Amino acid sequence: MAMKVGIFGLPIAIMRRIIACIVCILTVTSLRAQDSEPLLSRLKQTLLQAPEYDRIKLRTIDSLKQQLQQPGNQTPPAAFTIYARLFEAYKLFHYDSAYHYARLLQQTACRMKDKGRIAYARIQLGFTLLSAGMYKEAEDSLANMYILAEPDSIQALYYSQMARYYYDLGDFDNDAYHKPVYIRKGDVYIDSATRLFPEDSFDRLYLLGLRAIKAGDKTAAQEYFGRIIHRPNLSDHELALSTSTLCDIYVRNNQPDSAIQLLAQAAIADIRSATKETSATFILAQLLYKKGDVQNASLCINSAIADAVFYNARQRKVQVSSILPLIEAEKLSAVEKQKKSLITYAVAVTLLLLAVVVLAVVVARQVKKIKAAQQVIVEARDKEHAVNERLAETNERLADANKIKEEYIGYFFNVNAEFFNKMERLKQSLEQKINDRKLDEIRFIVHHNINLKKEKEELLRHFDQAFLKLFPRFITEFNALFKPEDQVALKEEELMNTDLRIFALIRMGIHDSEKIAHILQYSVNTINTYKTRIKNKSIVPNEQFDQRIMDIKTV
């Protein structure tokens, strides 16, 4: 098929790309030509109007909640639709509420047993967790989803979400080793998503532009975002998302004025759409601070703090804490210099005494605000430490579980190998006797060579050996939970007894009495009786006993 050509003999596709690049370049050039002050002044005015935009958002949410109470909307399909709209209203506005409705979506979809809705709910739950900076929980929500059987819209949503997950994870780690790996993974998911979105849709163009930015391809990024920004029906949120993403190119190329213009537009659009999960004001504060505009930087960073606290975005709080002290220190330094100058002039010019008093009051208020902001930083840091401690504890448990799995996988294969060898020898012997028609000898072999009691004892002995190899101090630490007279005393050549085996299985993560009874070939009542008797003898409270067992470490 012949390629379509336009003027100058160039292919139509190339002409479109050249035109898009020219449009984007003209847009950025016009932004440069503008003074940054009018946009920043607009931003200040819009910040004052932010409560009104929030009230509009809340009125919309209240209307949806009232619809939910109507009798006709109590059925699962109707409720699911309203929950989805409430989630959309909250997802960039307030994390806790968004998480609540994402869970309701999931529960309702499960009651309906609708796989498509279940997949949709899991993806939206992952979006909420990712927006809050809870990367591990977001991965758990999105992992192990079989998405190929779902409609294209669900697949596209999933792939877009996974691309954002890996890109955000790369930005969070921001190192030379892991970040490129995450970027490549994100690129793969973007490739899958863009094949499912319509050719000229916002989502497809945005994802292609985002991938170009991550690859450092300024020309391609300008092309895609140029096509987006000049769309006549662009929403405030889409404008904010596009301009704040495009500014990354200009930040990398050391063009702060163009980046500031784009970020100011993004911040204004975010306020108008009542978006609290945003990084525009935070990045704008950084650029203004580097430019020396401390006043506007402080205004933006305080807005970023308020948004992060309102939305409850953990990673945003941590990010803000890295620059807030610098801006506030610079601001405080300026205030202190001004204070000293006024005091000096006050000595020479007594008429300025009143002005000095007024200034002192202003300084005191500023210091109070700074202390309040510092308190926010301290609280965010404490929360970060708590999260890190929980992550360390989780990693330790995962490492412990991996050791147990590795050891018992080897144990399983060894025992099976021995069992198969024994069965093979028995099979060969029986076949020989059958061929020789020695029925009495067959009966003898079956009677004397198949001893279930011995096999069970052998199996338990192998379990004891493998477990004590993993937990060599288990018996000692188990006995430490009892008085000397109540401690376990093993018989000669006995590795463990039933008391120890029950709690050995609990230490391995098997807490269900029915499963323990099945493994040890006892009744459930017998196992529960054993556990109750042992706990009653212990010197620690019954409710703490299982946790003390779980605290016993591997090698």
Side-chain angles (χ1 to χ4, degrees), residues 419 422-423 426 446-460 521:
F419 178 77
K422 184 182 293 185
M423 291 298 101
L426 179 60
V446 171
H447 181 72
H448 290 84
N449 288 9
I450 302 176
N451 189 335
L452 295 179
K453 181 178 180 182
K454 184 178 179 182
E455 292 294 334
K456 177 185 175 183
E457 292 174 353
E458 187 68 14
L459 178 65
L460 291 176
Q521 296 294 299

Side-chain angles (χ1 to χ4, degrees), residues 432-528:
Q432 182 63 42
K433 299 301 181 184
I434 291 171
N435 290 336
D436 295 341
R437 298 189 178 278
K438 297 180 178 180
L439 299 180
D440 291 337
E441 293 185 16
I442 291 173
R443 188 178 295 108
F444 179 81
I445 290 171
V446 171
H447 181 72
H448 290 84
N449 288 9
I450 302 176
N451 189 335
L452 295 179
K453 181 178 180 182
K454 184 178 179 182
E455 292 294 334
K456 177 185 175 183
E457 292 174 353
E458 187 68 14
L459 178 65
L460 291 176
R461 185 178 67 82
H462 281 298
F463 169 80
D464 296 346
Q465 289 174 341
F467 181 82
L468 292 176
K469 182 179 178 182
L470 274 172
F471 299 90
R473 293 184 52 80
F474 180 79
I475 297 176
T476 302
E477 295 188 28
F478 181 86
N479 277 333
L481 304 176
F482 300 90
K483 296 177 181 179
E485 62 270 20
D486 293 326
Q487 292 178 354
V488 174
L490 296 172
K491 299 177 182 178
E492 187 177 353
E493 298 183 357
E494 188 178 37
L495 296 177
M496 291 200 298
N497 59 14
T498 302
D499 292 1
L500 292 170
R501 290 187 189 111
I502 290 172
F503 287 94
L505 289 169
I506 290 174
R507 177 59 187 87
M508 288 173 61
I510 303 172
H511 297 273
D512 186 48
S513 296
E514 187 174 348
K515 291 182 179 178
I516 295 173
H518 181 71
I519 293 170
L520 298 180
Q521 296 294 299
Y522 288 106
S523 69
V524 176
N525 288 337
T526 302
I527 294 299
N528 288 332

Side-chain angles (χ1 to χ4, degrees), residues 16-32:
R16 287 178 179 173
R17 181 161 184 166
I18 292 172
I19 292 170
C21 288
I22 291 172
V23 169
C24 188
I25 291 170
L26 290 174
T27 301
V28 175
T29 303
S30 67
L31 285 174
R32 287 179 181 171

Side-chain angles (χ1 to χ4, degrees), residues 279-305:
S279 61
T281 50
F282 165 66
I283 301 172
L284 180 58
Q286 287 181 306
L287 295 179
L288 291 172
Y289 171 72
K290 291 178 181 177
K291 193 177 179 181
D293 189 349
V294 178
Q295 183 177 2
N296 284 324
S298 178
L299 181 70
C300 291
I301 201 66
N302 283 320
S303 175
I305 290 172

Side-chain angles (χ1 to χ4, degrees), residues 12-22 217 219-221 223-224:
I12 294 295
I14 295 177
M15 287 292 297
R16 287 178 179 173
R17 181 161 184 166
I18 292 172
I19 292 170
C21 288
I22 291 172
D217 188 348
T219 303
E223 174 199 350
Y224 292 121

Side-chain angles (χ1 to χ4, degrees), residues 7 10 29 82 86 92 106 131 135 137 276 385 435 471:
I7 60 172
L10 292 174
T29 303
I82 298 176
L86 281 165
L92 298 174
Q106 200 170 37
S131 297
Y135 297 106
E137 291 78 2
K276 304 301 182 182
H385 290 329
N435 290 336
F471 299 90

